[in-house]
Amino acid sequence: KELEGLAGPAGNRRYKPVWCGSIMIRLPALLCLLVLCLFAPVHLEAQGDTEPSSAPDSILFVGNSFTFYNNAIYTHLRKLLMAEDPSTRQSILLKSMTISGAVLADHRGGLKQMLDLRPWHTIVLQGHSLEAVDPERVDGFTKTLADFSGLIENRGARPVLFMTWAYADRPEMINSLDPAFSSLGKQMNIKVIPVGLAFAQALQEIPGVELHVADKVHPSLAGTFLAASVFYSALYGKSPEHLEYDAGLDAATARQLRQIAWTSTRDYNSRP
């Protein structure tokens, strides 16, 4: 139906047939065929130079309190997106499915239900903060991650892995978290979102910044804002530094956090 109305007045004209072997082709059709043969290779080559946009129009966050603290990471990600383009309020769907204290396997039934609910572009997988580095949990985490990734990809969506952060009183945790998540990402061939590395960089570069609450484990508002900025950087491939959303934080601190989100993501993605 999209082609209707394109024929124009010439559709009623009569042309003298041209015989090609046993096939009769009208002259205009023959000319069109010759033009297509001449220019089709050039057109195809030009198409091949342009990659389709991979920016997600729907994201589901699957995790626990690391994801839902401070009104959820996706809320701040949405506001970052809206600061760039207010129309994303309607054009991009962001949701989360969380269970307090959950390990990744606790979402097995819920994930299947959410995948049945609608098509998704990206599914963020966040396990317990120790699953990837605890010798007693890592095998279960790895198996669940493989199962979930396969299930997600079979539904036409893209799984990504949320690298969690070190506890406030155990900053050396990042030295285990980074290689563990990076190895899993390569093993599963899925993208890793380096939130943990951004936390470590921010604690080094911003004196006095508080990225954790009093329990030294969960994120403060600044920590959640930084995590959302990393997701913006990693999933949309752009720096959030210029965006005018600060989640109520000091404007200078928020700008530094957005900048660190970009540099830590860029540096991580440039690794061999």
Side-chain angles (χ1 to χ4, degrees):
K1 292 184 178 179
E2 294 177 354
L3 299 178
E4 289 179 0
L6 298 180
N12 295 324
R13 296 174 184 169
R14 294 184 178 273
Y15 295 94
K16 182 179 179 180
V18 176
W19 287 89
C20 298
S22 61
I23 302 174
M24 185 176 71
I25 305 177
R26 294 185 182 274
L27 184 57
L30 179 60
L31 292 174
C32 290
L33 182 60
L34 290 172
V35 171
L36 287 173
C37 290
L38 287 171
F39 290 99
V42 176
H43 174 69
L44 291 173
E45 184 178 354
Q47 271 191 327
D49 291 338
T50 305
E51 291 291 333
S53 174
S54 61
D57 59 5
S58 56
I59 306 172
L60 173 66
F61 288 80
V62 177
N64 55 36
S65 52
F66 274 32
T67 289
F68 73 62
Y69 249 58
N70 304 301
N71 203 21
I73 289 173
Y74 81 83
T75 300
H76 300 280
L77 175 58
R78 174 181 285 122
K79 291 182 179 180
L80 287 167
L81 291 165
M82 290 176 61
E84 180 181 25
D85 180 0
S87 70
T88 57
R89 176 71 183 181
Q90 284 74 39
S91 63
I92 297 180
L93 175 67
L94 305 175
K95 294 290 184 182
S96 65
M97 179 178 68
T98 59
I99 303 172
S100 182
V103 297
L104 189 60
D106 291 336
H107 292 287
R108 190 172 299 275
L111 178 60
K112 291 179 180 178
Q113 290 181 344
M114 293 301 288
L115 290 173
D116 287 339
L117 184 64
R118 71 176 312 281
W120 297 93
H121 183 286
T122 297
I123 309 290
V124 178
L125 299 175
Q126 181 248 311
H128 187 276
S129 56
L130 296 176
E131 272 195 279
V133 294
D134 183 347
E136 296 183 1
R137 304 187 192 192
V138 67
D139 288 345
F141 182 59
T142 301
K143 183 181 184 306
T144 303
L145 183 61
D147 291 346
F148 283 12
S149 296
L151 181 63
I152 291 165
E153 289 170 350
N154 286 340
R155 300 298 185 91
R158 175 181 64 165
V160 300
L161 181 57
F162 182 158
M163 180 197 292
T164 53
W165 50 81
Y167 298 166
D169 58 349
R170 294 172 58 187
E172 72 281 358
M173 278 177 61
I174 193 60
N175 297 324
S176 299
L177 291 167
D178 178 9
F181 278 97
S182 298
S183 177
L184 285 169
K186 291 180 180 178
Q187 180 182 338
M188 308 287 176
N189 193 30
I190 60 177
K191 186 179 186 69
V192 176
I193 312 298
V195 177
L197 290 175
F199 265 59
Q201 183 176 338
L203 290 169
Q204 288 182 346
E205 296 185 7
I206 307 178
V209 70
E210 296 286 346
L211 300 181
H212 304 78
V213 294
D215 68 5
K216 303 183 186 302
V217 173
H218 291 93
S220 66
L221 178 59
T224 296
F225 177 75
L226 175 57
S229 299
V230 175
F231 276 99
Y232 176 95
S233 301
L235 296 181
Y236 293 91
K238 298 180 286 188
S239 171
E241 183 179 3
H242 67 287
L243 300 178
E244 295 183 0
Y245 172 65
D246 57 21
L249 302 170
D250 171 78
T253 300
R255 185 171 58 254
Q256 285 180 285
L257 291 172
R258 293 194 302 269
Q259 182 180 27
I260 287 169
W262 173 245
T263 57
S264 60
T265 300
R266 183 192 59 200
D267 292 348
Y268 184 78
N269 289 340
S270 67
R271 290 180 180 179

